[in-house]
Amino acid sequence: MSGTYAIETTGLSKAYGRVLAVDSVSLQVVPGEIYGFVGLNGAGKTTTIRALLGMIRPTAGSVGMLGHTVTPGARGPWHRVGHLVEKPAAYPELTVRENLEIARRLHAVSSAHAVSRVVERMGLTSEADRRAGVLSTGNLQRLALARALLHEPELLILDEPANGLDPAGVVEIRQLLVALARDQGVTVFMSSHILPEVGRLATRVGIIHKGRLLEEFDARRLEEVQALRLEVETRDLRAAAAVLTDAGYAVSWQSGEGKIVLREPRAVNAPDEVATLLVNKGTAPMRLAIVHEDLEGHFLRLTGGSQ
Ligand code: ATP
């Protein structure tokens, strides 16, 4: 194992009976990067993260982290790692602050301000003296994140950190993670099932599908993958498709889909021209939308249509 990586797995596999939940995954996470680990439900993200954290015994392969070899029960670099995995749990009768006090003692964090600092950082100030048992799902998730950050780890391993958060919360967490990486050099390994969401903050993305690491890409390639497309809905798709084709657009549409899809920059960058053209030719659009290719769409291409 090389000490230069924050995380390094080699041929990591985990079988549950006949299900190979993780299949020979070899990945490296460089210090300071935000690595987005993306896959559909059941792809093997949580199983991989459990193996990273020594919570399960791999069937084969190895995990290295911050210069240590991770095995269940062995001493690891855990005081330097913050994690969020599984459903966030808290002592329901204790307040947010009391829950975090327990975590502070467990991590032997001496600063008495550590708790108020993460409470503020996670936007939990108004909830600090409420019992954890009455928190909303989103605030429970914030509490779990606060616990992961409490001891100022240099490596964060987060399983679906945006789970349960409202859109504003998702943006806040994104900004927080970006700031931690940028300002404090924290390395982030996070899983998600939403490629465009991860694409906004990750410096590298790995795509896991049926337990296998299918593809990895850097920020530049990520932008290409998340190609935009313009979707057009009209009452008469056939007529509108003819109008657009006559005007030189490359049109793809299937009557079953109920919309026309244009992928060229010429269309995506100037939807107003497409709309004007359609209106002038008597096939006015009912809806015009610029859409990111979603993860599922990307997977369908990547896996040749098989799920
Ligand atoms: P999700 O987003 O739905 O949590 P995931 O990508 O995290 O998905 P995993 O939870 O790692 O996926 O599951 C991968 C595969 O392994 C699935 O087929 C799952 O049913 C199976 N699996 C996971 N844990 C166990 C277990 N303890 N026993 C048996 N099968 C398991």
Side-chain angles (χ1 to χ4, degrees):
M1 180 199 50
S2 151
T4 55
Y5 294 114
I7 301 174
E8 180 177 25
T9 73
T10 311
L12 183 66
S13 299
K14 178 67 183 179
Y16 289 112
R18 287 172 149 187
V19 177
L20 201 48
V22 176
D23 186 0
S24 312
V25 167
S26 297
L27 58 79
Q28 293 91 27
V29 180
V30 175
E33 76 178 348
I34 301 181
Y35 189 103
F37 193 49
V38 181
L40 300 173
N41 291 134
K45 304 180 296 292
T46 303
T47 305
T48 303
I49 288 183
R50 284 185 187 138
L52 295 183
L53 293 165
M55 292 173 174
I56 55 171
R57 207 175 293 284
T59 311
S62 64
V63 175
M65 187 177 298
L66 300 173
H68 291 247
T69 299
V70 173
T71 44
R75 274 172 63 100
W78 307 125
H79 58 292
R80 298 159 65 193
V81 179
H83 72 266
L84 167 60
V85 60
E86 321 284 340
K87 279 214 157 57
Y91 301 107
E93 292 198 355
L94 304 188
T95 66
V96 166
R97 204 184 295 280
E98 287 164 343
N99 267 281
L100 290 169
E101 262 312 317
I102 291 180
R104 181 172 79 89
R105 276 180 263 145
L106 282 177
H107 282 301
V109 173
S110 55
S111 162
H113 299 303
V115 168
S116 13
R117 196 177 52 231
V118 284
V119 160
E120 196 183 316
R121 183 147 222 190
M122 291 312 307
L124 281 167
T125 308
S126 61
E127 309 291 319
D129 297 312
R130 297 186 74 202
R131 288 192 299 114
V134 303
L135 293 183
S136 66
T137 316
N139 282 331
L140 256 186
Q141 185 78 355
R142 282 166 194 268
L143 173 55
L145 279 163
R147 212 164 25 208
L149 293 174
L150 188 71
H151 54 300
E152 301 192 9
E154 66 195 83
L155 171 62
L156 276 172
I157 299 181
L158 308 171
D159 194 13
E160 302 265 0
N163 253 2
L165 297 176
D166 58 26
V170 172
V171 174
E172 255 174 69
I173 295 305
R174 190 195 310 148
Q175 289 169 344
L176 171 78
L177 296 177
V178 168
L180 284 170
R182 187 191 52 214
D183 305 336
Q184 288 163 42
V186 172
T187 310
V188 180
F189 182 89
M190 59 173 285
S191 76
S192 174
H193 59 282
I194 307 169
L195 180 56
E197 176 52 38
V198 172
R200 294 205 179 101
L201 75 161
T203 49
R204 208 143 59 88
V205 164
I207 293 203
I208 182 168
H209 188 59
K210 294 182 179 166
R212 299 197 71 108
L213 188 64
L214 276 195
E215 204 179 359
E216 272 185 311
F217 24 72
D218 58 17
R220 193 184 55 78
R221 172 91 177 89
L222 202 56
E223 271 178 26
E224 291 168 11
V225 167
Q226 299 179 88
L228 298 171
R229 62 176 189 265
L230 180 66
E231 293 185 354
V232 181
E233 290 174 30
T234 64
R235 291 194 199 284
D236 188 343
L237 285 179
R238 193 176 294 275
V243 166
L244 291 167
T245 307
D246 281 349
Y249 288 98
V251 171
S252 76
W253 72 286
Q254 282 167 353
S255 45
E257 274 185 26
K259 63 191 169 206
I260 293 169
V261 176
L262 304 172
R263 296 182 188 276
E264 299 159 288
R266 176 188 167 206
V268 172
N269 295 335
D272 50 338
E273 285 177 17
V274 173
T276 309
L277 176 68
L278 291 172
V279 169
N280 288 344
K281 298 286 183 181
T283 51
M286 293 188 296
R287 182 175 165 275
L288 210 63
I290 294 176
V291 182
H292 264 121
E293 179 167 47
D294 61 8
L295 179 59
E296 223 147 344
H298 182 66
F299 268 141
L300 288 174
R301 282 162 198 269
L302 211 60
T303 60
S306 70
Q307 283 281 319

